[in-house]
Amino acid sequence: MSTRRFYKSLSPLQGHFGPILDLSVHVTAKIVASAGQDGTRLFSLASFSEMARPMMNSTRGASTAVCWAQDQDDAGLILLYGTELGHLVLWGSATKTKIYFEEVACYRLPKPSEVTDLNFDKFTRRVAVGNRDGIVQVHLLQSGGQLLPIFSVEIDQFLPKSVMFMPQGENDILVTGEYCGNVHRLEGTTGKWLGNYSTGTMIGNAIISAGSILYDDPAAGAVVTSFEGHILKKRLFKLDPTKSISKCPRQVSFADDDTKIVIGTNEAKVVIFDRATNGKFDEIRRWYSAYCSKTFSDAHESLILAANARQSDHSNDIMVWQRHHGPASSTVPSVKSGVSFGFVANVLAAFLSQNFFENTLCVLFVACTLLASGPSALSTPPLKSPSKSTLFEAVDFYTSLTRACFKELGQVLFSSILGPVEKIFRNSKIDQSNVHEVVFVDGSPYSPYH
């Protein structure tokens, strides 16, 4: 359930048993690849069903990392995944129209151990691999799915949790360590060590985008770091404290053109932060721990995918949520024949993107607008069919609301106003018992919260 209703649940992707350790989404083909204890699986986001896959070889161990690549002419599809016993496997489909995957190649890495991360750079066609023995390798993906080794280096007393290519225009590679909290920089064609810096904490998973590194601090939340000149800037997006803080790594991801941050937690929820306000944007709650999370965005939709990475022998569905996108409204709709839910959603979205006092005004404005015509305005059904202006991508946002439903929708927002009011009493040293009269203005006498 999305606590602020910015996301709606779609059909789950079913087929896995046991923990799911990694997810990767092919944007154009809309295919989800997942790596788990029971191997690598493929799912279609068009039909929300599992796709045919090549036969798995159980002697390679569980799948631990997965990523999409592309061939030189971008005519087909290429998937790479790593295993707990140090295998690097390539699957390929010759076309994107009639998709049929076959195993193209399988490589056993030097000093074979669990593959901790895979990454592909589409500009240079390089594949980066990290494994649990501290080895970082870079290969060149050639036509036909062949991998040409470029370099292999070993970093002493270091577990490379994430291996990332620098943004376009830079050739180097960044490697983050899970236990030591160090970030190493390697030259992209020779593997020469160029330096490192310490984050001062453990690092779970990490991702890089537009020069900013997002990583998981297992003890606190998500951290975004960036360099301004030679100065390291850090911003913490802190998860709510718990009685027992889990040290398990969680997957983190950027979303909505890097304006949002998504992090799976060990508290049966996925948390979305807004980078502009540094505050919590929404929470998606489930019954299991969603350590493993990924996002998917294109011009038409924004999705969040999450799965359970904990040890389990039960079926493990990949949950999918879609971001609500409603049209902005420049006029206040009439409430005499119903309530425009699209308008409410947009005003509540504005609530989350402004400062607190403006937020309060937004919520009170919504309440007065909805309630100005009295209680009947919230229960009277629409009297006519919605016009084209109330539709967005063939979705009707026009509906009626009961008072009970409206109260439930706004409960969290109205409750958030109480804190500053209590602070005013404390700062002014006025006891609440000395307040003898409360004046309601405009439509607020009809509010279900007074």
Side-chain angles (χ1 to χ4, degrees):
M1 179 186 71
S2 172
T3 57
R4 288 179 170 170
R5 291 178 169 81
F6 284 116
Y7 295 86
K8 65 178 181 180
S9 177
L10 302 181
S11 298
L13 305 177
Q14 299 177 327
H16 267 290
F17 286 84
I20 297 175
L21 304 177
D22 198 10
L23 296 168
S24 183
V25 183
H26 195 289
V27 175
T28 56
K30 293 190 176 181
I31 300 175
V32 177
S34 55
Q37 179 176 288
D38 60 345
T40 301
R41 295 182 182 270
L42 301 167
F43 301 90
S44 169
L45 285 175
S47 61
F48 290 90
S49 60
E50 186 172 4
M51 302 172 62
R53 58 172 178 165
M55 183 177 295
M56 298 294 299
N57 188 333
S58 60
T59 62
R60 299 169 183 170
S63 298
T64 54
V66 63
C67 79
W68 290 97
Q70 65 183 44
D71 52 19
Q72 289 181 326
D73 56 7
D74 198 23
L77 300 171
I78 296 179
L79 179 72
L80 300 96
Y81 72 88
T83 74
E84 65 174 334
L85 299 181
H87 292 89
L88 181 59
V89 185
L90 282 78
W91 289 353
S93 174
T95 66
K96 293 181 180 179
T97 52
K98 190 176 181 180
I99 299 175
Y100 180 76
F101 283 93
E102 297 179 305
E103 184 170 308
V104 177
C106 177
Y107 301 89
R108 190 79 185 275
L109 302 175
K111 291 188 67 174
S113 64
E114 177 190 333
V115 174
T116 55
D117 195 30
L118 283 173
N119 216 323
F120 176 73
D121 180 30
K122 64 180 181 180
F123 302 105
T124 61
R125 302 188 52 75
R126 290 175 298 165
V127 177
V129 187
N131 78 8
R132 191 163 286 276
D133 280 341
I135 296 178
V136 176
Q137 295 183 333
V138 173
H139 305 265
L140 178 66
L141 179 60
Q142 298 179 306
S143 59
Q146 301 301 309
L147 292 179
L148 177 66
I150 297 178
F151 72 78
S152 177
V153 296
E154 183 175 354
I155 305 175
D156 293 334
Q157 298 180 338
F158 185 78
L159 195 165
K161 184 60 179 175
S162 297
V163 184
M164 303 169 288
F165 292 101
M166 294 291 288
Q168 185 181 7
E170 296 190 56
N171 192 44
D172 299 340
I173 293 173
L174 292 180
V175 188
T176 64
E178 179 173 353
Y179 298 120
C180 63
N182 288 338
V183 180
H184 291 271
R185 184 163 182 162
L186 306 178
E187 203 281 325
T189 55
T190 64
K192 178 182 178 182
W193 185 80
L194 300 177
N196 73 318
Y197 69 91
S198 176
T199 62
T201 182
M202 294 171 58
I203 298 178
N205 290 277
I207 189 172
I208 189 168
S209 179
S212 295
I213 302 174
L214 169 64
Y215 65 87
D216 163 47
D217 177 352
V223 181
V224 175
T225 63
S226 60
F227 281 95
E228 295 182 9
H230 295 286
I231 301 176
L232 178 65
K233 299 288 187 179
K234 296 175 62 175
R235 292 177 63 191
L236 172 64
F237 298 84
K238 192 172 183 178
L239 293 172
D240 296 333
T242 59
K243 294 181 180 179
S244 59
I245 300 177
S246 171
K247 301 296 184 180
C248 295
R250 302 163 294 220
Q251 283 197 351
V252 290
S253 183
F254 289 110
D256 292 352
D257 295 325
D258 294 351
T259 62
K260 304 292 187 298
I261 288 172
V262 180
I263 179 169
T265 76
N266 60 311
E267 298 178 285
K269 62 185 178 182
V270 175
V271 181
I272 302 98
F273 291 98
D274 189 331
R275 293 184 69 183
T277 64
N278 221 63
K280 190 182 297 183
F281 179 73
D282 204 349
E283 283 186 5
I284 300 172
R285 298 178 181 271
R286 292 297 299 175
W287 63 269
Y288 58 71
S289 299
Y291 287 122
C292 188
S293 61
K294 220 69 169 180
T295 61
F296 160 82
S297 299
D298 63 9
H300 305 289
E301 62 181 337
S302 177
L303 303 180
I304 292 177
L305 299 92
N308 187 5
R310 280 186 169 178
Q311 186 65 36
S312 171
D313 295 327
H314 302 291
S315 61
N316 190 0
D317 297 344
I318 301 172
M319 307 306 298
V320 184
W321 293 276
Q322 183 182 50
R323 170 78 187 277
H324 286 297
H325 288 289
S329 175
S330 57
T331 60
V332 177
S334 171
V335 297
K336 293 182 179 180
S337 59
V339 176
S340 172
F341 191 78
F343 173 75
V344 176
N346 282 311
V347 176
L348 295 185
F351 175 94
L352 297 171
S353 61
Q354 306 297 323
N355 64 53
F356 179 81
F357 293 101
E358 292 174 341
N359 293 344
T360 304
L361 294 175
C362 281
V363 174
L364 293 178
F365 174 69
V366 174
C368 293
T369 301
L370 297 180
L371 301 167
S373 299
S376 61
L378 290 175
S379 57
T380 304
L383 299 179
K384 60 180 181 178
S385 300
S387 63
K388 291 182 179 179
S389 62
T390 64
L391 298 178
F392 177 70
E393 294 183 355
V395 177
D396 179 16
F397 286 89
Y398 194 91
T399 186
S400 61
L401 288 178
T402 64
R403 288 175 61 83
C405 181
F406 176 72
K407 184 175 182 179
E408 180 185 357
L409 286 172
Q411 183 64 54
V412 175
L413 305 180
F414 275 87
S415 298
S416 65
I417 302 173
L418 299 179
V421 173
E422 293 173 350
K423 184 177 180 181
I424 291 174
F425 278 106
R426 290 195 300 269
N427 292 344
S428 60
K429 298 181 180 179
I430 299 176
D431 190 87
Q432 296 184 28
S433 61
N434 293 326
V435 178
H436 304 296
E437 185 178 7
V438 177
V439 179
F440 291 95
V441 297
D442 201 8
S444 58
Y446 301 105
S447 170
Y449 300 98
H450 73 272

